[in-house]
Structures are given as structure tokens and as C-alpha cells.
Amino acid sequence: MTLRKSIFKPVEQFAIQLRLPRPSEILIALASTFVALLIAWGLYTWLALANLSLIFLTAVLVSAVLAGSYAALLSAVLGFLTFNFCFTVPHFSLAVEEQEQLLTLLFFLLVALVVGKLAGDSRQRLLELSAARLAEEQERLRSALLSSVSHDLRTPLASIIGAASSLRTLDAQLSQQDRFALLDGVLSESERLNRYIQNLLDMTRLGHGDMKIERDWVAFDDLVTSALKRLGGALEDFQVAKNWPNNLPLLYVHPALIEQALVNVLENAARFSPLHGCITIEAQCSDESSGGDHPFLQFSVSDQGPGIPAALRERVFDMFVTGNEGDRSLHGSGLGLAICRGMLGAHAGQIHASPGPDGVGTRITMTLPLAAPSKEAEDDH
């Protein structure tokens, strides 16, 4: 009984896998065979019959690569019939007069079926491997996201809960200065929580392609002022230096997106700069130092932190990339700079990291293309 099962098991599996070819498989098999027929017909007077069969064998391989085993097997049968009908004697008949041509036909059919099946199976294995890698990457991103959320949401929430609890239970023992300090902590952590949630929302919108670029004319000074105001207490222990000319042209961008990119970079600089350190914001137009045909605004944020290792300077703009050194330590979620790249990329801009002035800290440099301002924008400015 066991021997009987082992004999019929492959047959049962083959029967289960049998199905009608899909329309796409039929179309690819027909198209590849037709192209092979045209090529073979053009070379009929130049090549021997056995060499012409290689053209139809190529059609089988093309079908296997494009659509899998079913299309390859169908292409092999079509190639066999077409080859026999058009190129063996007598022409335009399925009969075969010469034994040598019959052997060529049978050998072609055998090789085509085997090669087509092997190529189709290899394609299927590659697709399954790609799917497995994609699933593994998605699982890695999911784990990283959960880890990020558990840290970056829980930390400010714990601070808010602790401060609120102290205000409630120790109200009679607290001085007015202590109450203000606790309330400032609640406000600061709430703003931090809000920025993190905004980053999550922005990354979701970028990932799904739902980020709409509603452009408007805005001054770089206004973007910086708004970003610094939003960060508020996060920068109160640092010196912020500004260095750019007064005649910078207007930017034609989505103001909220570029402002958010600035906020993310400035918050990253504050997180890793030493207390009372200096954070420098600089900007200049490309045509001030080079007469390019496509002018752009280049602006940067420099800190005095430990810096980013050279090996990580490209990877820091990927999602959830963190490290134990530099500006991407375990204190970060790995979202801020990735979002910056997405927002600048949506404006055809760029972002990259380099060592700070004199090799100290990190400089994050961003570029945005400049558009010719309209007369109304110039007048308003």
C-alpha cells in the first residue's frame, strides 16, 4: 500500500497542478513564436534546419522568463508545430518525409519542453525568493516601527504623566516656580510628542504617495523663524547662529513640508549637540559661487555633536537606520532624516551629510531648485 502511494503521489501532484493556461500566458507564447517564425523565415536560406530550431528554442526561453512554465510549454508545442508546418518537407504540411528532419523535430520538442520547464521553475523560485525577501524586509520595518513607537511615544508620555501626577498629589507642597517648571515640562514633552506623531503621519503619506505638493512663494527667513518657533524649548539651551545674505530669492515650495524638514534637522542637531553648544544655520544661492544653468538654494544646519561616521553618512537618510555612534544613536527613531529626504525629493531637492566646520560635529546640507518668481511675488516680497 505504501509503495503504491509513493508511485502515484507524483502523478496526483501533477494532476492537481494542471490548469488551463491564462490569457497572458497564451498571448506571450503566441507572440514569441510569431517573432521566432519571422526571424527564422528571414534566415531560412542561410541556416540549416537544426540551427533554425534554436530560434524557436529562444522563443521558449523568452516565454519562460516572461510568464513561467505554462507559457514555455505552450510555446514549445507551438514552436514544434510551426517549425514542422513551415520548414520541413513537404512545406505547409504536418507530414515529415525525411527521417533526419523527423529526428530534428523530436529532438527540438524534447529539448524545448525540458528547457522551458527548467527555466519556468527557476523563474518561479526567483519570484518566491523575492517575495520572501520582501516579507522579511517588511517584518524588519514593522519591528523597527514598533520599537520606535514604544520608545518615542512612551518616553514623553511617561514624562507628561509624571509631571501631571506631581501637580495633582503634591500641589500644596509645590512653590509657584516648581509648578511652572512642571508645566513647562508637560508643554515641552507634548510638543515633542506632537512632532513625532507628525513625522509618522508624514512618512505614511510619503510611503503611499498621498503627499500633495501645494506650492507657494515663501521667504527662507520666514521658514527658519517658523521652524525655530515650533521647536521652542528644545533649543533654549543652545546658541543658534544664522548666516545668509539679505537678498535671498523666494522659494516656490510647499512651505509646511520644507518647514518640517528644517524642524527635523534642527531637532536632530539639538539632540546630539553639547549643552550650550552652537547650532549654525547657513544659506546661499548656487549662482553666488557658480554660474550654473539651474540655480538652487543651498542651506545647511551644523552642530557640534560627535558627528556621523563616514560609513553611515548615506544610510542615515533611510528609514529606521540607527546606530550607537554619532547623530543617529539609539535615542533617535530613524524617521526624521528619512522624512527630510522624502520632502526635499518631492521638490526635486537633495540632502546629504558631511563633517561640520573644522571637522567638528555634523553638517546636514539641503538644496532646493529655484524658480523664477512671478511679478506679484516680487512685489509682495
Side-chain angles (χ1 to χ4, degrees):
M1 188 69 177
T2 305
L3 178 61
R4 184 178 178 183
K5 286 184 177 180
S6 63
I7 292 175
F8 286 100
K9 187 175 181 180
V11 179
E12 292 174 356
Q13 291 178 345
F14 179 75
I16 292 173
Q17 294 176 352
L18 283 178
R19 59 172 175 81
L20 292 175
R22 299 187 182 94
S24 60
E25 294 170 336
I26 297 175
L27 182 61
I28 289 175
L30 287 172
S32 61
T33 304
F34 180 71
V35 172
L37 172 61
L38 294 179
I39 297 174
W41 194 266
L43 299 176
Y44 177 62
T45 58
W46 299 85
L47 297 178
L49 192 66
N51 293 332
L52 289 177
S53 68
L54 297 178
I55 299 175
F56 289 92
L57 185 60
T58 302
V60 175
L61 289 173
V62 170
S63 299
V65 171
L66 294 179
S69 298
Y70 268 73
L73 297 179
L74 182 59
S75 179
V77 174
L78 289 174
F80 169 78
L81 295 175
T82 305
F83 189 41
N84 183 12
F85 187 78
C86 296
F87 298 102
T88 60
V89 180
H91 295 305
F92 308 113
S93 170
L94 294 178
V96 182
E97 290 183 354
E98 299 181 11
Q99 183 178 4
E100 181 181 350
Q101 292 185 351
L102 178 61
L103 290 176
T104 301
L105 276 173
L106 294 177
F107 185 72
F108 162 76
L109 180 61
L110 176 62
V111 172
L113 290 174
V114 172
V115 170
K117 184 72 168 86
L118 292 176
D121 290 346
S122 299
R123 174 184 180 273
Q124 183 63 29
R125 284 195 293 270
L126 285 174
L127 291 175
E128 292 173 353
L129 180 60
S130 298
R133 288 179 176 174
L134 179 60
E136 182 181 353
E137 180 67 14
Q138 289 176 339
E139 178 62 24
R140 185 186 72 83
L141 289 176
R142 187 185 70 85
S143 299
L145 178 59
L146 290 176
S147 175
S148 173
V149 169
S150 65
H151 175 271
D152 290 280
L153 290 183
R154 184 172 54 189
T155 301
L157 281 174
S159 300
I160 293 171
I161 292 172
S165 177
S166 298
L167 284 170
R168 180 177 180 180
T169 58
L170 303 175
D171 181 68
Q173 305 173 28
L174 295 175
S175 65
Q176 186 175 13
Q177 184 178 1
D178 293 333
R179 293 191 187 94
F180 282 159
L182 289 172
L183 289 173
D184 285 342
V186 170
L187 181 60
S188 175
E189 293 299 322
S190 299
E191 291 172 345
R192 175 184 170 191
L193 185 61
N194 180 65
R195 288 194 298 271
Y196 180 71
I197 293 174
Q198 183 62 48
N199 279 342
L200 286 177
L201 293 175
D202 289 340
M203 182 56 70
T204 301
R205 291 162 63 194
L206 285 169
H208 288 83
D210 296 333
M211 186 73 78
K212 295 182 179 180
I213 307 300
E214 299 176 356
R215 295 176 181 261
D216 196 4
W217 295 102
V218 62
F220 180 73
D221 308 61
D222 296 337
L223 288 174
V224 173
T225 301
S226 182
L228 294 176
K229 183 177 180 181
R230 281 182 56 189
L231 285 168
L235 296 176
E236 64 181 3
D237 293 326
F238 303 94
Q239 303 174 38
V240 178
K242 305 174 185 178
N243 182 18
W244 60 80
N246 295 325
N247 59 344
L248 287 179
L250 294 174
L251 291 169
Y252 189 56
V253 296
H254 190 306
L257 296 187
I258 303 305
E259 178 188 317
Q260 183 63 44
L262 265 173
V263 167
N264 289 351
V265 174
L266 286 167
E267 185 178 26
N268 195 70
R271 182 181 295 121
F272 296 99
S273 289
L275 199 61
H276 306 301
C278 183
I279 297 174
T280 304
I281 307 172
E282 299 177 288
Q284 67 172 2
C285 291
S286 61
D287 56 359
E288 292 179 5
S289 56
S290 61
D293 294 333
H294 302 285
F296 56 85
L297 179 69
Q298 176 177 291
F299 54 103
S300 64
V301 175
S302 304
D303 61 48
Q304 296 177 329
I308 300 175
L312 287 178
R313 285 175 194 156
E314 292 297 327
R315 296 183 57 233
V316 291
F317 300 102
D318 295 335
M319 282 195 303
F320 304 115
V321 174
T322 59
N324 293 323
E325 298 177 358
D327 288 359
R328 303 292 289 169
S329 76
L330 292 176
H331 299 291
S333 64
L335 283 176
L337 293 181
I339 291 173
C340 291
R341 183 173 66 175
M343 290 175 170
L344 289 165
H347 292 79
Q350 296 179 347
I351 182 172
H352 67 272
S354 60
D358 300 324
V360 177
T362 297
R363 171 181 282 149
I364 301 296
T365 303
M366 296 157 277
T367 60
L368 285 171
L370 291 173
S374 63
K375 188 175 186 306
E376 292 81 1
E378 291 177 344
D379 294 340
D380 292 342
H381 186 53

